[in-house]
Amino acid sequence: MRKAFIAGNWKMYKSIPEAVSLVQVIRAGVHTVQDVDIVVCPPFTALAAVNEALKDSNIDLGAQDMYSETEGAFTGEISPLMLKDVGCRYVILGHSERRQYFGETDGLVNKKLKTAIKFNLIPIVCIGETLAERDAGKAKEVVANQFEGSFQGLTAEEFERLIIAYEPVWAIGTGRTATPQQAQEMHGLIRSFLKDRLGDTVERVRILYGGSVKPENISELMAEPDVDGALVGGASIKGESFIQIVRGSLLEAKGSGKVSSS
Ligand code: PGA
């Protein structure tokens, strides 16, 4: 029984005042929602102000990245302790934009996620294939390799303290969502890898879908047995659409019996 999970990745958008007004709108729109874990991931500069604006709400705070060391001479980087300090509970790691534009490897993602878990941050770890890889029939192989590399050496207990996001790169910011069947196929594959490592506790790990999630497609995606939530980019920086996505996930989660009280 997995509780629905909706996270907004705001990417490099929103000034501090804009971030605070957005989160106020979202907060008012979802305050009665109980059966969904709701997270917003603003840019670093807005984390403190958004944390303040989220006090006593049902929304958690996340960051979009972090470094794998706790402190030191790493100009421009942010450590897990700093994220904790500013009120984060979650951190997105290995997003395809980090992999594509900033050269992040599975090895670095692996280091980062182990550090995050050590400091009690919950990593949302992204994996997914590019269009060229899918067209070449290599989607499963690529995701299998990313899974191996990113999660190397993780104990079963550590696996239970992270969230996985399957984000096909060709669906990110393109308006081209994976069909529910395409999403399920890959989520099922990821769950089978987890089962090899975890056995029956695999049922506790949540796998999110990301890539052009909108109010119009959230319910059909959530209807798939292994889609437990969404990592939302573009539609998460518009208050009303994010609110509708949260509500849409709840309706389907209830219908499919995925809601748990844990
Ligand atoms: P998108 O982005 O919803 O704008 O496609 C998703 C993501 O990058 O996490």
Side-chain angles (χ1 to χ4, degrees):
M1 298 287 256
R2 297 180 294 273
K3 188 173 178 183
F5 189 103
I6 302 291
N9 171 11
W10 294 9
K11 307 197 178 183
M12 201 171 71
Y13 293 102
K14 304 293 173 190
S15 65
I16 295 171
E18 285 167 350
V20 169
S21 12
L22 174 57
V23 92
Q24 279 164 348
V25 171
I26 294 172
R27 182 182 174 145
V30 301
H31 77 282
T32 55
V33 175
Q34 285 176 356
D35 295 324
V36 185
D37 283 332
I38 308 166
V39 180
V40 292
C41 305
F44 290 125
T45 48
L47 285 172
V50 169
N51 185 47
E52 197 55 40
L54 288 180
K55 284 259 149 67
D56 303 316
S57 77
N58 56 342
I59 305 173
D60 276 315
L61 188 67
Q64 299 173 21
D65 187 29
M66 55 159 242
Y67 195 52
S68 52
E69 300 294 327
T70 49
E71 65 176 8
F74 302 106
T75 302
E77 292 297 323
I78 305 275
S79 90
L81 296 180
M82 293 166 180
L83 295 184
K84 295 284 288 183
D85 198 24
V86 78
C88 289
R89 184 160 180 225
Y90 294 88
V91 59
I92 299 171
L93 294 176
H95 190 278
S96 64
E97 286 150 15
R98 303 273 345 146
R99 294 174 184 265
Q100 190 179 346
Y101 305 130
F102 305 99
E104 286 204 9
T105 59
D106 291 334
L108 181 58
V109 174
N110 183 256
K111 266 195 184 165
K112 288 184 175 189
L113 75 89
K114 284 179 179 161
T115 316
I117 290 172
K118 187 161 153 205
F119 290 96
N120 267 329
L121 281 162
I122 302 172
I124 303 172
V125 185
C126 306
I127 51 179
E129 81 287 355
T130 63
L131 185 58
E133 289 162 344
R134 175 160 282 261
D135 287 346
K138 293 197 171 139
K140 289 184 178 170
E141 185 186 323
V142 168
V143 167
N145 286 338
Q146 286 179 343
F147 186 96
E148 275 305 312
S150 304
F151 299 125
Q152 196 167 19
L154 245 65
T155 62
E157 205 244 326
E158 284 171 321
F159 264 112
E160 286 180 39
R161 289 165 65 193
L162 58 78
I163 289 171
I164 299 175
Y166 168 63
E167 296 210 309
V169 179
W170 48 272
I172 296 179
T174 57
R176 188 180 155 191
T177 323
T179 63
Q181 294 71 28
Q182 284 172 324
Q184 173 55 33
E185 189 183 19
M186 299 304 278
H187 283 230
L189 181 75
I190 294 167
R191 183 128 9 238
S192 73
F193 299 151
L194 286 168
K195 199 168 169 72
D196 293 342
R197 305 274 191 100
L198 292 175
D200 286 344
T201 49
V202 63
E203 295 304 329
R204 295 195 207 141
V205 182
R206 285 178 289 189
I207 308 174
L208 315 181
Y209 167 79
S212 298
V213 172
K214 302 182 267 274
E216 297 77 31
N217 57 28
I218 184 66
S219 298
E220 57 183 32
L221 286 161
M222 291 296 290
E224 296 298 331
D226 288 302
V227 178
D228 306 313
L231 180 56
V232 187
S236 75
I237 54 173
K238 292 173 222 125
E240 201 43 47
S241 66
F242 190 67
I243 293 164
Q244 283 180 35
I245 289 170
V246 169
R247 296 222 176 113
S249 75
L250 175 68
L251 292 175
E252 198 46 59
K254 273 196 166 150
S256 64
K258 273 190 209 158
V259 176
S260 88
S261 52
S262 67

